[in-house]
Amino acid sequence: MEILGLYNYWVFAILLMIGFYAVIAKRNLVKKLIGLSLFQAAVFLLYITMGKVDGGTAPIFSGTGDAIFSNPLPQVLILTAIVVGISTTALGLGIVVRLKEEYGSIEEHEIQEIDEQ
Amino acid sequence: MNALVDHFPALQVVVPMLMAPLVVLLRPRGLAWAACTMASVLTFAIAIQLVQGVLVGGPTSYLMGSWPAPYGIELKVDAFSALLLLVVTGASVFALVGGRESLDGQIEAGRQPYFYAAWLLALAGLSGIVVAADAFNIFVFMEISSLASYVLIAGGPDRRALPSVFKYLIMGTIGATFYLIGVGLIYMMTGTLNLGDMELRIQAVADQRPILAAAGFITVGLALKAAIFPLHVWLPNSYTYAPHMVTAFLAACATKVSLYILLRFDFFVFQGNLEGHALQFTFYLMPVAILGILVGSAVAMFENNIKRLLAFSSIAQIGYIILGASFVTVAGLTAGIVHIFNHALAKGALFLAVALFATVAGGLRLDDLKGIARRMPWTFGAFVIAALSLIGVPGTAGFVSKWYLITAAMELGTWGLPLVALILVSSLMAVVYIWRIVEAACFGEAPYEPAAPASVPPLLVVTLWLTAAANIYFGLVPELPLTLSGDAAADLLGHLP
C-alpha cells in the first residue's frame, strides 16, 4: 500500500528522468526540447500532488463550514510555472527555427561540425 | 515625495518592467535606446537611494498591497541586496550609455525596439530576484531575466551565438527546474514560501530528509545558473558570441545574481536549521571552487579569442567568490561578497574596452589585436587599469577582495595556508593571460594598415574611463562595498545558532 499510495510521486520521478534522459542523450534539438518540456511537466505533477488532501474538494466555500479542502496554492503556483514553461519552449523552438535557417540542420553534432570548419 | 520613497523597492522592478512594452512601440531611430537608457538611469538612481537607506536605517521590507508578510508578497532590501542592486543597475547604465554605437552596429535597426525591450525585461528580472523575499517570486523573476537574456545573447550578428544560446537555454531551464523542485520540497514540509518564515518553520520540521534533498536540488540548480565549475559549459560561448554590450552587462551581473540567491538560501534558510549543513556546504563547494579557479585560469592562459579568454577568467573569479563563502566565516563571506562587486567593476570595464577594440580591429583574436595599443592608447590604458584590478594589484578594487580573501584563509589556521598559496598561484596565472593580451597589443605588428581611422564612439570611451576610475577609487576608498558586504556577511551568518 505504501508504494501504491506514493503512485504520483513515482510517476513524477520517472517522468523527470525520462525528460532528463532525452535532454542529455538526444542529438535532435526538437527532441531535446520535448525532453525539457517533460522534465518541467514532471515538476508540475509534484506540486499538484502535494496540494491534494485526501477526500478534499475544490476550495470553494459552500456555507457548511465542515468541508475538507485541497490546498489551492500549489495549483496557482503551477499555473505560473506552466506559463514559464510554455515561454521557454516557444523561445527554444524559435531558436531552433533560426538555427535551421542559418545552418540548415537541427542536429546538434552537424551544427558542431559546421562550426568547426 | 515621501510616499514615493516608500515604494522604491517595488519601483526598482516596476519601472523597467512597465517601460519594456512601451519601448517596443518606439520606432524612430534612437528613441528606443533613449527610453531604455532613461529607465535604466532611473533604476540606478533608485538603487543609490536604497543603498543610502540601508546604510542609514538598516534593512527595509515592503509589503505588496499591504498584505502582511507570510501571506502577502514581501520585498526586502538589506545590505546584501542593496549591493547587488547597485551592481545590476550600474552595469546596465554603463553598458547602455556607452553602448549606443556599438549596439547600432550589431543589431538590425528594425529589431532594436524588441532588443531594448528584452534588455529592460532582463534588468527587471535581475532586480526582481534581488529584492524578492519569496522563494517562488525569485523563480519567476529568474525565468524572466533568463528568457530575456537568451534573446539578448542571440540578438547579435554572429550565427554561432545560436547554438550557444540553445545550450544556455537547456542548462538554464534545468537549473531553474531543479530550484523549483527544491522549493516544492520545502513547501511540502513547511507550507510557506516566504524566506524569513521558511527559516523559522524548518526548525520545527521533524523529518529533515526532504529538506536535505531540497538543499541539494537548490544548490545544484543555482550552481548551474551561476556557472560554478564544472557546471559552467554554457558560459564561455554565450559570452563570446553575444553582442559586446550584452556581454559587458551580463558578465558584470547575471551570474552574480544567481550566486546571491545561492548564498541567501544556503546561509539564511538552511545553515542554522540543517544538521551538518556548514560542513556539507564547505566540502561540496570548496573543491569545486578550487578546481574552478585553477581550470578557469589555465584555460584562459591558452585561449586566443579575447572574449573567450575573459569569459574563462570569469569562471575563475566565480571560484573566488565561492571559495570565500565556503569558509563559512564572517571574514570569508565578506571577501566573497565584496568580490562580487569588485569583479563586476573589473570585468565590466574589460568588456567595455573589448567593445572599443572591436570598432577598430578586424576581429577579436589576439592576432587581430596586434598593435592595438598604439592605435588606441586611451582605450588600452583603461583596459590595463581594469586588468590590473582583475589580477589584484594594490591600489585597485581587485586587491581589496584578494586581500580580504587571503586574510580570511589565514584565519582558518594551518589548512588555510595551501589556500593562500592557491590564491597567489592563480593571481600569477591571471598575470600570464593578461600579459598575453598586453604583449600582442603593445609589441605585435598590426596585421594590416587601417585604411582610415575608424570612428570611436566618444561616450563609450568616457564610460570606459569612468569604470576604470571606479576600479581605482574603490581600491583606495573601499568603505562602501566593504561596509555593505560586512553587514551582509554578519547578517547571513547571524542566523547560525
Side-chain angles (χ1 to χ4, degrees):
Chain A
M1 276 321 284
E2 182 78 345
I3 291 173
L4 276 183
L6 296 175
Y7 176 72
N8 271 16
Y9 293 102
W10 285 109
V11 175
F12 152 70
I14 293 166
L15 210 54
L16 194 76
M17 286 303 115
I18 293 174
F20 204 33
Y21 172 80
V23 171
I24 294 170
K26 293 292 166 191
R27 286 165 154 188
N28 184 305
L29 298 182
V30 175
K31 286 183 184 167
K32 267 181 190 289
L33 280 177
I34 293 173
L36 198 67
S37 295
L38 266 180
F39 186 71
Q40 289 178 310
V43 181
F44 305 160
L45 190 66
L46 171 74
Y47 270 74
I48 301 293
T49 306
M50 74 171 119
K52 174 70 180 160
V53 177
D54 273 343
T57 61
I60 301 165
F61 187 62
S62 57
T64 50
D66 57 349
I68 302 169
F69 295 137
S70 287
N71 186 349
L73 188 70
Q75 305 195 5
V76 178
L77 297 181
I78 282 319
L79 211 55
T80 316
I82 288 172
V83 175
V84 170
I86 289 174
S87 328
T88 311
T89 314
L91 184 62
L93 288 173
I95 294 170
V96 172
V97 171
R98 290 277 297 127
L99 275 166
K100 174 79 179 167
E101 285 172 5
E102 295 283 343
Y103 288 85
S105 166
I106 54 166
E107 299 287 326
E108 196 179 28
H109 58 286
E110 287 177 15
I111 292 172
Q112 215 163 5
E113 275 167 23
I114 295 171
D115 260 350
E116 276 162 13
Q117 276 163 17
Chain B
M1 190 60 203
N2 264 339
L4 198 63
V5 170
D6 291 341
H7 293 292
F8 272 172
L11 284 175
Q12 186 81 75
V13 185
V14 170
V15 168
M17 195 171 266
L18 284 186
M19 205 61 183
L22 290 180
V23 163
V24 175
L25 303 175
L26 297 176
R27 291 287 151 183
R29 217 173 144 68
L31 213 57
W33 171 81
C36 183
T37 310
M38 202 187 69
S40 208
V41 169
L42 209 58
T43 51
F44 189 44
I46 295 174
I48 291 173
Q49 284 291 321
L50 285 172
V51 167
Q52 273 174 353
V54 166
L55 284 177
V56 176
T60 48
S61 109
Y62 176 85
L63 303 175
M64 270 289 174
S66 302
W67 293 93
Y71 311 108
I73 291 166
E74 187 189 5
L75 302 181
K76 200 164 184 193
V77 180
D78 58 11
F80 198 3
S81 35
L83 185 74
L84 261 288
L85 281 180
L86 212 55
V87 170
V88 170
T89 54
S92 169
V93 167
F94 278 103
L96 279 173
V97 169
R100 183 172 171 204
E101 284 85 354
S102 173
L103 286 170
D104 264 349
Q106 291 198 296
I107 316 288
E108 289 166 33
R111 289 204 308 216
Q112 280 189 11
Y114 302 109
F115 177 84
Y116 287 117
W119 186 296
L120 283 174
L121 287 177
L123 177 61
L126 290 169
S127 335
I129 296 172
V130 178
V131 294
D134 175 294
F136 196 79
N137 276 13
I138 289 175
F139 166 75
V140 175
F141 281 129
M142 195 154 74
E143 284 308 80
I144 292 175
S145 69
S146 304
L147 287 169
S149 40
Y150 306 146
V151 175
L152 291 182
I153 292 171
D158 195 328
R159 71 170 183 179
R160 283 170 297 180
L162 293 169
S164 32
V165 92
F166 190 82
K167 193 187 260 174
Y168 183 15
L169 181 132
I170 296 277
M171 300 193 73
T173 308
I174 289 177
T177 312
F178 265 40
Y179 172 81
L180 192 61
I181 296 173
V183 170
L185 289 173
I186 298 178
Y187 180 74
M188 212 157 147
M189 301 311 286
T190 62
T192 183
L193 290 168
N194 183 295
L195 291 185
D197 200 29
M198 210 179 251
E199 190 214 352
L200 296 176
R201 288 194 190 209
I202 287 180
Q203 292 166 4
V205 174
D207 183 5
Q208 292 218 321
R209 199 179 294 169
I211 307 286
L212 193 64
F217 272 116
I218 289 176
T219 310
V220 173
L222 292 176
L224 248 174
K225 283 261 177 198
I228 295 173
F229 181 86
L231 303 172
H232 66 278
V233 288
W234 58 266
L235 185 140
N237 278 348
S238 298
Y239 280 14
T240 309
Y241 302 123
H244 305 311
M245 283 305 144
V246 173
T247 312
F249 174 41
L250 294 181
C253 62
T255 52
K256 315 288 188 305
V257 168
S258 303
L259 283 172
Y260 161 87
I261 328 171
L262 181 74
L263 294 183
R264 175 138 292 210
F265 247 102
D266 269 304
F267 285 94
F268 192 77
V269 179
F270 297 132
Q271 197 72 274
N273 301 323
L274 275 179
E275 212 173 304
H277 183 264
L279 219 58
Q280 285 163 357
F281 187 79
T282 306
F283 279 98
Y284 166 60
L285 282 177
M286 194 182 278
V288 162
I290 292 169
L291 280 175
I293 292 171
L294 290 176
V295 175
S297 307
V299 175
M301 276 162 57
F302 295 99
E303 194 49 66
N304 270 320
N305 180 313
I306 185 171
K307 275 174 98 177
R308 260 181 94 84
L309 187 155
L310 292 176
F312 273 105
S313 140
S314 275
I315 291 162
Q317 306 294 321
I318 291 164
Y320 287 125
I321 299 168
I322 292 295
L323 184 68
S326 71
F327 295 167
V328 198
T329 59
V330 173
L333 258 181
T334 309
I337 295 170
V338 86
H339 197 56
I340 292 182
F341 182 83
N342 291 339
H343 173 239
L345 277 182
K347 232 354 121 37
L350 286 172
F351 276 119
L352 288 179
V354 168
L356 271 168
F357 293 155
T359 57
V360 172
L364 286 173
R365 285 174 300 126
L366 289 185
D367 290 342
D368 301 319
L369 295 177
K370 279 186 176 159
I372 199 96
R374 287 191 295 276
R375 283 162 72 189
M376 27 189 6
W378 282 97
T379 306
F380 196 73
F383 180 87
V384 168
I385 291 174
L388 290 177
S389 174
L390 188 73
I391 296 168
V393 174
T396 58
F399 174 70
V400 177
S401 39
K402 287 252 170 81
W403 176 257
Y404 269 75
L405 198 58
I406 288 177
T407 319
M410 297 290 251
E411 273 180 20
L412 295 176
T414 43
W415 64 284
L417 288 177
L419 293 175
V420 174
L422 168 87
I423 295 163
L424 292 178
V425 167
S426 65
S427 300
L428 288 176
M429 288 163 100
V431 173
V432 172
Y433 61 70
I434 293 299
W435 174 251
R436 289 180 64 220
I437 303 174
V438 174
E439 190 185 8
C442 292
F443 306 117
E445 278 304 313
Y448 55 88
E449 278 307 307
S455 65
V456 172
L459 260 181
L460 186 50
V461 180
V462 173
T463 44
L464 171 62
W465 268 96
L466 274 178
T467 40
N471 271 303
I472 292 180
Y473 176 78
F474 286 113
L476 300 175
V477 196
E479 270 78 25
L480 173 74
L482 272 181
T483 320
L484 285 173
S485 14
D487 286 357
D491 183 42
L492 287 175
L493 279 174
H495 292 269
L496 281 183

